[in-house]
């Protein structure tokens, strides 16, 4: 498990910065690539994009409903649109526009929720998005993707531009290590990425929690417990083949997400397992349903045990 | 199309709107009748779109923000040959594509609407795309006066002026009523012209049942270069059927057999006047 040694994040970047770099590459080759922003180009790392491609950025001001409606109209006219705004506002205030103008009308917009989860931890619940998986999972016709590392981010961004149907991409602010030394995976929406393998337990995580999950696996390995770690970057459609495989081969399953324990990755996995008779010891690690504690993202992760020690403890408790 | 032909169409459309609402036992009668003349002039005079050009990137776009008045749209689209009119006999039936709001499952419909305050932002996106692509098509959206308190409209109104979208035309079907009461009582939006002007739009007010005036207004687009245009169309909810006019009951009232017969006879006599 040498590849989980990379604890020093130097050389890596926040996923939303990689997103911006890839979007610039795509925009240089394709004039139809358009970013739509709601005074959000700074946090979306899109300032260089705006400078290089002033004709390919549409600014609507702080008006998220309009952001998504305008994005839908641009997409309907053939543009490959990335509607970028903090996830907390985008998937709450503009939820009806995502539901109707993007998903229901089938306008192929990529809705990009930035600074997601508790990236803005100290700013309080107005700025947390712990509801977005739940809100979007029950909307038909939108793929929900939360890349874990720079590799997944680059792949997901390029794939979203090619995908002729609605996609939600969710990024955070933290500098993310690549999860593997060699990224030779075939990345596809709806196909979870196995980062490391072991038959004692499966840890299914997504986004910025995959890294602590991987560290937890290392900690467990030192104690003779071998865990599979999966980056389940696509929350919907869920990779149920992989899930069934994990249930068949591991003694316990733990899910980890930077989201409410209600309605997210964990409950999606639980629903599939229960309904297919795959009964394994199972726990959901996420943000509990309470007035969320504030502080840095790491403070909040520590508080709710979204840490290597916390995740390892939950796994051990099931074995 | 000659003026008499256009006027004839309006009466025919009103008869068909009632026919299919009666058939479906559901529909937004009053609002469909208030926007009939607007849709008539748009589809028979103004819009550069046809069943043959509906997938062309250069077609004019029409987005019906007041989606609940879908019966008027369906009747006009059928008349323009987008689909056989008999399809409307399935209106609101199990699994019919002809449901109570426009969806893209019906040829001729640009966007799925129904939730209010959605048409204008999408139209703005369409119009920005036209500017970016240097295409000459125009984008039209029909809004109800009752949906104007939706804040998303005013967000989009700002963006339209900011981007100088003189290829965009919004039409407000100002029939002064909504489901609860008059718009003035529910949430007053007057003076409406001043609001749009303050948001950077060029405004014209017309009698929304005067097809000649509507034609002239559409012909004079854009009202000012570099500005989006809005037509405030003064209309009567339930227009054309005396007992439905200005009567809240007909927001989504369905006529009985007797009422339907009475309405048809009124419309037939107004047809006679058109033909003189
Ligand atoms: Mg009204």
């Amino acid at each position: 498990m040498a590849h989980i040694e990379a604890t020093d994040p130097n050389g890596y970047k926040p996923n939303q910065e990689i997103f911006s770099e890839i979007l610039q590459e795509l925009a240089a080759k394709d004039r139809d690539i358009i970013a739509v922003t709601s005074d959000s180009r700074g946090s979306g790392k899109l300032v260089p994009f705006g400078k290089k491609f002033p004709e390919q950025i549409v600014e609507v001001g702080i008006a998220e409903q309009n952001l998504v409606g305008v994005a839908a109209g641009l997409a309907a006219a053939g543009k490959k649109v990335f509607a970028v705004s903090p996830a907390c506002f985008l998937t709450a205030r503009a939820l009806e526009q995502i539901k109707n103008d993007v998903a229901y009308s089938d306008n192929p917009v990529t809705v990009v929720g930035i600074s997601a989860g508790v990236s803005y931890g100290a700013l309080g619940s107005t700025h947390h998005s712990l509801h977005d998986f739940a809100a979007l999972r029950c909307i038909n016709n939108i793929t929900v993707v939360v890349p874990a590392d720079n590799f997944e981010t680059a792949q997901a961004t390029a794939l979203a531009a090619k995908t002729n149907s609605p996609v939600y991409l969710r990024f955070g602010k933290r500098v993310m290590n690549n999860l593997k030394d060699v990224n030779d995976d075939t990345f596809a929406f709806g196909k979870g990425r196995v980062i490391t393998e072991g038959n004692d337990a499966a840890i299914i995580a997504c986004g910025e929690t995959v890294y602590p999950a991987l560290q937890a696996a290392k900690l467990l390995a030192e104690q003779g417990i071998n865990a599979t770690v999966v980056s389940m970057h696509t929350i919907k459609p869920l990779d149920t083949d992989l899930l069934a495989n994990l249930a068949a081969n591991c003694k316990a399953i733990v899910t980890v997400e930077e989201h409410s324990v209600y309605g997210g990755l964990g409950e999606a996995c639980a629903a599939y397992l229960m309904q297919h008779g795959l009964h394994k010891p199972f726990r959901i690690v996420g943000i509990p349903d309470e007035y969320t504690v504030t502080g840095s993202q790491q403070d909040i992760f520590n508080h709710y045990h979204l840490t290597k020690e916390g995740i390892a403890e939950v796994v051990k408790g099931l074995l | 199309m000659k003026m008499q032909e256009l006027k004839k169409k309006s009466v025919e459309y009103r008869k068909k709107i009632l026919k299919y609402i009666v058939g479906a036992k559901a529909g937004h009668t009053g609002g469909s009748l208030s926007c009939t003349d607007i849709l008539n002039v748009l589809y028979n005079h103004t819009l550069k779109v046809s069943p043959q050009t509906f997938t062309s990137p250069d077609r004019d776009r029409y987005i019906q923000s007041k989606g609940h008045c879908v019966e008027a749209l369906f009747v006009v689209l059928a008349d323009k040959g987008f689909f056989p009119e008999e399809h409307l006999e399935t209106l609101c039936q199990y699994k019919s594509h002809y449901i109570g709001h426009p969806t893209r499952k019906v040829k001729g419909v640009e966007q799925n609407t129904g939730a209010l305050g959605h048409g204008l932002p999408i139209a703005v996106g369409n119009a920005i795309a036209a500017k970016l692509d240097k295409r000459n098509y125009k984008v039209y959206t029909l809004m109800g006066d009752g949906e104007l308190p939706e804040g998303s409209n005013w967000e989009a109104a700002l963006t339209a002026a900011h981007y100088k979208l003189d290829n965009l035309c919004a039409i407000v079907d100002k029939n002064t009523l909504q489901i609860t009461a008059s718009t003035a009582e529910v949430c007053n939006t007057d003076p409406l012209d001043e609001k749009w002007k303050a948001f950077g739009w060029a405004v014209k007010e017309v009698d929304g049942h005067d097809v000649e005036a509507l034609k002239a207004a559409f012909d004079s687009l854009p009202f000012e270069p570099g500005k989006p245009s809005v037509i405030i169309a003064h209309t009567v909810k339930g227009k054309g059927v005396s007992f439905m006019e200005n009567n809240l009951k007909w927001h989504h009232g369905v006529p009985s057999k007797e009422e339907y017969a009475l309405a048809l006879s009124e419309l037939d006599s107004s047809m006679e006047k058109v033909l003189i």
Side-chain angles (χ1 to χ4, degrees):
Chain A
M1 296 215 283
H3 50 267
I4 61 167
E5 295 299 330
T7 48
D8 180 355
N10 288 337
Y12 296 112
K13 294 175 178 175
N15 288 340
Q16 55 200 40
E17 205 166 314
I18 298 294
F19 158 71
S20 168
E21 289 175 11
I22 299 296
L23 202 61
Q24 288 175 59
E25 286 174 24
L26 295 169
K29 285 181 261 170
D30 185 350
R31 286 184 46 86
D32 282 335
I33 296 277
I34 304 278
V36 191
T37 51
S38 53
D39 198 25
S40 49
R41 73 180 79 187
S43 20
K45 307 290 175 200
L46 288 169
V47 174
F49 181 102
K51 283 194 180 132
K52 263 192 237 172
F53 308 103
E55 295 273 281
Q56 285 166 260
I57 190 160
V58 174
E59 174 65 64
V60 300
I62 303 172
E64 291 80 13
Q65 298 179 61
N66 187 37
L67 171 95
V68 177
V70 167
L74 284 160
K79 298 295 178 190
K80 296 166 189 165
V81 187
F82 289 77
V84 186
S85 186
C88 51
F89 313 130
L90 191 56
T91 62
R93 194 180 199 116
L95 184 61
E96 192 180 78
Q97 279 74 15
I98 296 173
K99 169 178 169 266
N100 295 342
D101 307 346
V102 175
Y104 181 45
S105 275
D106 195 26
N107 288 310
V109 174
T110 303
V111 178
V112 183
I114 54 170
S115 307
V118 290
S119 297
Y120 291 137
L123 303 185
S125 282
T126 53
H127 284 62
H128 298 168
S129 63
L130 299 172
H131 63 278
D132 47 346
F133 300 162
L136 298 177
R137 270 181 66 217
C138 52
I139 289 173
N140 171 244
N141 194 35
I142 186 162
T143 301
V144 179
V145 182
V146 47
D149 64 1
N150 289 179
F151 166 74
E152 289 181 14
T153 298
Q155 296 282 314
T157 305
L159 198 52
K162 279 192 260 175
T163 301
N164 200 26
S165 62
V167 176
Y168 174 62
L169 293 182
R170 187 213 222 215
F171 299 122
K173 284 159 62 82
R174 178 190 284 247
V175 172
M176 295 309 297
N177 302 34
N178 267 341
L179 298 166
K180 291 187 173 184
D181 291 334
V182 182
N183 291 308
D184 51 2
D185 313 48
T186 316
F187 182 91
F189 294 155
K191 286 283 152 218
R193 205 168 151 237
V194 178
I195 309 300
T196 186
E197 289 186 86
N199 285 333
D200 293 320
I203 309 174
I204 304 169
C206 64
E208 300 195 354
T209 64
V210 183
Y211 190 69
L214 201 49
Q215 289 180 306
K218 190 193 170 197
L219 206 59
L220 289 164
E222 288 165 5
Q223 299 165 42
I225 298 166
N226 294 313
T228 291
V229 174
V230 170
S231 169
M232 196 65 96
H233 49 71
T234 308
I235 307 293
K236 187 183 149 183
L238 194 65
D239 187 351
T240 51
D241 290 345
L242 176 57
L243 201 51
N245 242 320
L246 296 172
N249 295 311
C250 299
K251 293 176 204 130
I253 296 173
V254 172
T255 66
V256 191
E257 63 200 297
E258 187 180 355
H259 185 274
S260 166
V261 292
Y262 291 164
L265 173 66
E267 284 195 353
C269 292
Y272 177 80
L273 295 169
M274 281 292 286
Q275 292 182 96
H276 290 79
L278 303 169
H279 303 136
K280 290 285 159 126
F282 182 89
R283 286 289 181 279
I284 296 170
V285 177
I287 309 290
D289 181 39
E290 64 175 40
Y291 197 97
T292 309
V293 77
T294 50
S296 70
Q297 184 199 41
Q298 191 57 53
D299 288 336
I300 296 172
F301 278 15
N302 292 343
H303 182 86
Y304 294 118
H305 310 295
L306 287 156
T307 56
K308 60 178 175 182
E309 296 85 1
I311 297 164
E313 273 311 301
V314 173
V315 171
K316 280 197 283 180
L318 292 181
L319 293 173
Chain B
M1 195 175 280
K2 279 197 227 140
M3 200 52 67
Q4 194 192 38
E5 279 298 300
L6 266 184
K7 287 179 180 170
K8 223 176 107 187
K9 286 270 184 208
S10 281
V11 183
E12 284 167 3
Y13 289 158
R14 287 194 164 90
K15 288 173 68 174
K16 286 180 182 175
I17 287 165
L18 294 177
K19 174 183 170 183
Y20 293 111
I21 286 176
V22 167
K25 300 184 189 70
H28 284 85
T29 313
S32 285
L33 295 176
S34 74
C35 67
T36 304
D37 302 294
I38 297 164
L39 282 169
N40 179 10
V41 175
L42 277 171
Y43 275 91
N44 287 305
H45 176 73
T46 303
L47 292 177
K48 290 187 190 74
V49 66
S50 67
Q52 293 70 41
T53 60
F54 186 59
T55 52
S56 159
D58 292 309
R59 73 189 182 281
D60 282 344
R61 268 72 163 177
Y62 169 74
I63 297 165
Q64 188 161 312
S65 192
K66 48 176 288 179
H68 54 286
C69 296
V70 71
E71 294 86 12
L73 177 62
F74 282 166
V75 161
V76 174
L77 289 178
D79 183 51
K80 298 308 289 179
F82 283 90
F83 52 82
E85 193 188 313
E86 337 44 296
H87 285 193
L88 295 180
E89 284 159 20
T90 69
L91 185 68
C92 288
Q93 285 178 16
Y94 179 57
K95 288 193 172 175
S96 172
H97 289 172
Y98 302 85
I99 65 169
H101 291 106
T103 81
R104 295 171 77 182
K105 288 192 173 167
V106 175
K107 191 171 176 188
V109 173
E110 289 282 354
Q111 293 294 321
N112 299 5
T113 52
L116 297 170
H118 285 247
L120 189 58
I122 300 171
V124 167
N126 267 188
I128 293 173
K131 294 271 183 193
L132 291 173
D133 291 340
K134 300 188 169 52
R135 292 187 189 274
N136 290 321
Y137 65 85
K138 289 196 174 76
V139 185
Y140 299 82
T141 185
L142 176 67
M143 310 164 82
D145 52 356
E147 73 169 302
L148 293 180
E150 289 282 8
S152 49
N153 291 321
W154 302 101
E155 295 180 8
L158 288 172
T159 304
H162 182 84
Y163 284 98
K164 303 181 170 41
L165 300 180
D166 53 11
N167 54 350
L168 172 67
C169 174
I171 306 112
V172 178
D173 178 7
K174 195 171 190 298
N175 60 27
T176 72
L177 291 179
Q178 57 193 104
I179 195 163
T180 303
S182 72
T183 51
E185 286 170 89
V186 175
C187 177
N188 184 31
T189 53
D190 285 330
L192 195 53
D193 57 330
E194 287 177 25
K195 286 189 179 63
W196 286 101
K197 278 178 200 157
F199 277 73
W201 287 57
V203 185
K204 272 194 184 174
E205 306 209 34
V206 299
D207 173 347
H209 302 305
D210 180 342
V211 289
E212 200 154 2
L214 284 166
K215 224 172 132 178
F218 287 125
D219 285 347
S220 64
L221 289 170
F223 301 152
E224 277 183 53
K227 282 188 178 185
S229 304
V230 59
I231 295 174
I232 299 175
H234 295 275
T235 57
V236 173
K237 203 157 176 169
K239 175 72 180 180
V241 180
S242 60
F243 59 90
M244 292 181 178
E245 288 187 359
N246 287 316
N247 185 342
L248 270 185
K249 178 188 161 191
W250 296 100
H251 175 84
H252 54 191
V254 178
S256 67
K257 224 172 144 185
E258 296 72 28
E259 287 165 332
Y260 178 46
L262 191 58
L264 286 188
S265 73
E266 282 195 21
L267 288 165
D268 284 337
S269 50
S270 56
M271 182 69 96
E272 282 166 26
K273 279 180 218 151
V274 170
L275 296 176
I276 291 167

